[in-house]
Amino acid sequence: MTMRILLVEDDEVLSQVLTDHLTHQHYVVDTATDGALGFDFAQAVSYDLIVLDVNLPKLNGIQLCQRLRQNRSTVPILLLTAKGASSDKVMGLDAGADDYVVKPCTIEEISARIRALLRRPNLGGNPVLTWGNLCLDPGACEVTCDGHLLALSPKEYSLLELLLRNPQRTFSSSSILEHLWSFEDAPGEETIRSHIKRLRRKLKAFGNEEMIDTVYGMGYRLKALPTAPTAPTAPAATPTTLVAAEARAAAIAVWEQFKQPMFDRVALLDQALIALAADHLTDDVREAAAQAAHKLAGSLAMFGFPAGTELGRELEQLLQHPTPADTPQIQHRVAQLHQVLQQPPLTPAMEAPSLPPASFPAPSGVPVLLVTQDAAYIQSLQAASRASDIPLQVAPNWTAAQAYLAHPLPMVILLDLTLPEGNDWGFIAALPARCPAFTRVALTHQDDFDTRLASIRLGCDRVLAKATPADEVLAIVRDLLQPDVATPIRVLAVDDDPAILDRLHQCLPTWGIQLTTLTTSDNLWSMLQTTQPDLVILDVEMPAVSGIEVCQVIRSDRAWNHLPILFLTARREPDVISQIYQAGADDYVSKPFTASDIVPRIFNRLARNRLLKQQ
């Protein structure tokens, strides 16, 4: 499997040379320039090997090695140092290092030491991985089908190896990025789709067209062989642990990318506090600090610092009209903010979907779930499903359905409300209200108002008579799954906070939304003409021209008068919200926000707009 190495080295030249050499040998390499950052990386990601320079700033290699071992880390550690005395080697090995290389040395020697350390856990194991007629030999870095060599790029090879070593696991695009790319070189999710497409094309040439499954809304996994036994095997680690580790690693990786701008904003608060204590706070310094607090309030919770968001809101209020008497309060909150940001980010529970109970199978790319015990209905719908490209899964009751509904898959759920008594349909309403991932369709014998009303009160979105022909049911399902397949959703977002725009880039494309972003309104008018968006997202407070004024300008034009407009804002005052709607906004979402906050609002607004156009 592709090995992930952490290199902690403050010599930029040596770091770059080592990184290039190891990357060429199919390793994924993350780099850190000081010991403190190296420790954060080691806590965030599960590495196969850590290479440490001894003479590091902030936290030297010996101290970092000791701290890692105190935290019960068992990852192999290789020390690099210019000190070759026996006492220095003893000190490094006693600190917990597994090996010791004295500089200057050749890159080949370091590489050989790394290979030796990485081989230790795998002695005696069979390295060859197989799937049908395909064989992957990690020792030779070769893939063959029926003895014929496949010409794969390094990333295609690593991707295939990752899937073969984890045949029961579904990898999201972000998880693949984490395994196969370093933080600095990570591309967008479109690159993942391109690699998957090319790999499938090469596998298809050797008769392995169906080797990689797409799990709707989740990612990719290795398809089980038709003749493979279905007996469940015990995983090495609990699914909950794997999800938690991935979520924590992702949260820290994103925070590492954007923490410096956040610290710069806190520095503006420090400057304002010093000036206020000396009674020399100018309007410019106060305004810059208040704006910094406003942006911190709007973004910190998204990086895993909800307490930081609350402190940002309080500081923004205190900085509106501060006096020297307010100095103790501001000083206390700024100090708290410093303490909060010294901690690792939290992983929001709402962002980490729970996994199904261990006694039920995980969903395998199934966009339609039929919950019924009606054998004749199951047979007719399965026959229609085989004639189409829409996969179907059947659950006989609510208990079995839970295994599939635990995942946020974009699926249609067909619920037979004529099931025998004892089936609790209260779970329908417990699903995320109007979440675009689920469309709940009630199947009923009666097709009258009272039956439809009862179905809607249960939490269903649509109602179908069971007498509806099976092919017509699947045609309706197809429309529900892909309502806009011919015209992708285009969204234009205007916000001066790069962290907010980055968060939108993380959550919207997952739902098939093409996102264009602007940090100012300068090019808004030409961008409207170029992108022809289906919806616009605006921030209230922006430099030069406010979002409310931008909204009024859009509404003043006949061509864009009916364009849906959604506001993202940290302001919650009733008069501000009133101004938003008076300017012509359709909806607003409070900062900080999550995907579950904004995605349903976008889909609902677009659905409502389509309905108005049809009428």
Side-chain angles (χ1 to χ4, degrees), residues 204-280:
K204 179 181 179 180
F206 288 87
N208 292 318
E209 181 178 2
E210 305 298 329
M211 185 172 177
I212 301 175
D213 257 347
T214 297
V215 183
Y216 290 81
M218 293 186 68
Y220 310 94
R221 74 174 185 178
L222 191 69
K223 186 174 183 179
L225 285 168
T227 57
T230 58
T233 58
T238 64
T240 303
T241 302
L242 292 172
V243 170
E246 290 184 2
R248 178 177 174 81
I252 293 181
V254 173
W255 172 240
E256 287 297 330
Q257 182 181 358
F258 285 96
K259 71 177 182 180
Q260 190 54 53
M262 301 301 156
F263 288 150
D264 292 342
R265 293 168 186 174
V266 176
L268 292 175
L269 298 176
D270 292 332
Q271 295 173 15
L273 178 60
I274 294 172
L276 179 62
D279 200 14
H280 293 304

Side-chain angles (χ1 to χ4, degrees), residues 165-200:
R165 288 189 182 274
N166 301 273
Q168 303 300 320
R169 184 176 173 188
T170 299
F171 288 92
S172 65
S173 294
S174 60
S175 180
I176 293 173
L177 287 172
E178 178 189 337
H179 280 83
L180 303 187
W181 276 269
S182 65
F183 292 142
E184 293 83 359
D185 300 327
E189 293 190 0
E190 181 60 35
T191 302
I192 301 299
R193 290 191 286 271
S194 298
H195 280 294
I196 290 286
K197 184 177 180 180
R198 287 196 296 268
L199 179 57
R200 280 173 168 162

Side-chain angles (χ1 to χ4, degrees), residues 96-164:
D98 296 271
D99 202 353
Y100 199 102
V101 176
V102 179
K103 297 186 290 186
C105 60
T106 64
I107 297 297
E108 287 71 19
E109 180 183 351
I110 297 176
S111 182
R113 298 290 187 101
I114 288 173
R115 289 195 299 272
L117 288 174
L118 291 175
R119 279 198 302 268
R120 290 182 183 178
N122 299 315
L123 290 175
N126 182 5
V128 177
L129 306 172
T130 62
W131 190 92
N133 65 338
L134 181 142
C135 292
L136 185 148
D137 185 353
C141 290
E142 291 182 349
V143 178
T144 57
C145 278
D146 290 329
H148 299 286
L149 187 66
L150 267 70
L152 301 180
S153 71
K155 288 302 181 188
E156 291 166 355
Y157 172 88
S158 298
L159 178 57
L160 180 60
E161 183 184 10
L162 179 67
L163 295 173
L164 286 169

